[in-house]
Amino acid sequence: MCELLGMSANVPTDICFSFSGLLERGGNTGPHKDGWGITFYEGKGCRTFKDPEPSCQSEIAKLVKAYPIKSVSVISHIRQGNRGRVCLENTHPFTRELWGREITYAHNGQLSNYNDLKPEFYRPVGNTDSELAFCWLLDKIRQKYPKRPSNMASVFRYAAKLADTLRAKGVFNMLLTDGVYVLAYCTNNLHWITRRAPFGKATLIDADMVVDFQKETTPNDVVTVITTRPLTNDEQWQKMQEGEFVLFKMGEKI
């Protein structure tokens, strides 16, 4: 299985601390050595870094770890391939345009009997079940909402309903964002934590690193991190249940 990492914040925030823990699971403390990727949103635009190499030894991952890109919405993924070969086009996250917005998605799990997923408008570039499911999901959203609705939260709730269909085909843990909202959908393994004042210290499980968030934040900051497995061993993470989804905006659960 792969592992997911997402962030939603009310102010531009770097994700270097959490990413430092995740990348160690990509071939060092975990078996997810078949590529990695991360997408940061900046306004209506986004920048993506991907590499089919293991994240623990990727020079691009080292760059991202050392380069504190600040964003309010982030999605990252480390891959343990099961559908599709190890190559750049099969590396998550995947991004497509919808209503003039960049929509980014990453999936953890494996689907079966998915030949009935036949998207018409969006087409996969690679050959993973994950990207096919993303194209199908966006097709359904586009059909239901030909124009961008004023209430974007309703779109993400509909996406969670569509995810129920995908969950019936196997394990489907998903992160989905338009740069404003971040949706987390769980089949079997997804956790989240919201950090706000009073901030404290946190220690990574997979790397020798401790951060004092009080020194890195202001009292008004709100930052939510979503991950497959908790990244720290001294904080209280919320474990999601099967079929549960959580929608975040500016760090807050809505």
Side-chain angles (χ1 to χ4, degrees):
M1 291 291 182
C2 309
E3 291 213 15
L4 302 170
L5 172 64
M7 185 186 77
S8 173
N10 67 341
V11 294
T13 304
D14 77 67
I15 199 171
C16 294
F17 177 71
S18 296
F19 183 70
S20 296
L22 182 76
L23 67 84
E24 291 299 325
R25 296 177 179 179
N28 186 13
T29 61
H32 316 88
K33 58 181 175 53
D34 298 325
W36 67 276
I38 188 168
T39 297
F40 302 86
Y41 276 80
E42 299 174 40
K44 291 181 67 176
C46 61
R47 65 173 86 188
T48 298
F49 300 86
K50 292 185 181 184
D51 192 351
E53 297 297 319
S55 59
C56 72
Q57 61 189 47
S58 167
E59 292 299 323
I60 302 174
K62 293 177 184 177
L63 168 68
V64 174
K65 178 182 174 182
Y67 183 23
I69 300 171
K70 293 185 180 295
S71 175
V72 295
S73 299
V74 178
I75 285 183
S76 184
H77 180 277
I78 52 175
R79 184 178 182 224
Q80 185 178 15
N82 48 54
R83 305 280 191 205
R85 65 189 183 92
V86 177
C87 57
L88 190 59
E89 63 265 31
N90 286 336
T91 306
H92 305 224
F94 302 108
T95 299
R96 296 289 192 280
E97 179 273 335
L98 178 64
W99 311 309
R101 298 285 303 192
E102 301 276 13
I103 310 297
T104 297
Y105 152 105
H107 165 229
N108 162 31
Q110 184 174 342
L111 305 180
S112 301
N113 301 318
Y114 53 83
N115 291 331
D116 59 333
L117 302 179
K118 298 183 183 298
E120 298 177 4
F121 184 83
Y122 295 97
R123 299 297 176 88
V125 176
N127 59 346
T128 63
D129 53 340
S130 300
E131 189 183 15
L132 177 63
F134 179 41
C135 291
W136 175 85
L137 188 148
L138 284 186
D139 251 29
K140 293 296 184 182
I141 293 174
R142 185 186 177 100
Q143 291 169 15
K144 184 175 178 65
Y145 300 98
K147 295 182 179 180
R148 185 180 187 273
S150 57
N151 180 13
M152 277 298 294
S154 65
V155 174
F156 284 92
R157 294 188 181 102
Y158 180 58
K161 183 177 180 180
L162 294 170
D164 289 336
T165 300
L166 296 169
R167 177 168 57 93
K169 297 180 179 296
V171 176
F172 191 74
N173 302 297
M174 174 186 71
L175 294 179
L176 184 72
T177 185
D178 65 344
V180 178
Y181 293 88
V182 177
L183 172 68
Y185 181 91
C186 178
T187 291
N188 64 351
N189 206 2
L190 211 53
H191 298 75
W192 60 274
I193 188 170
T194 299
R195 299 181 178 119
R196 65 176 81 241
F199 292 98
K201 295 181 179 181
T203 306
L204 287 178
I205 295 172
D206 299 272
D208 185 15
M209 184 180 296
V210 180
V211 67
D212 186 348
F213 288 114
Q214 188 171 358
K215 296 179 180 179
E216 306 292 334
T217 57
T218 74
N220 298 321
D221 291 1
V222 179
V223 180
T224 291
V225 175
I226 311 125
T227 188
T228 298
R229 295 181 292 126
L231 291 166
T232 58
N233 57 18
D234 46 8
E235 295 181 292
Q236 188 65 44
W237 292 77
Q238 305 294 318
K239 179 175 174 56
M240 296 177 63
Q241 303 302 309
E242 181 178 356
E244 180 186 0
F245 75 91
V246 186
L247 185 59
F248 299 96
K249 181 181 181 182
M250 298 184 69
E252 298 284 5
K253 178 183 176 182
I254 64 169

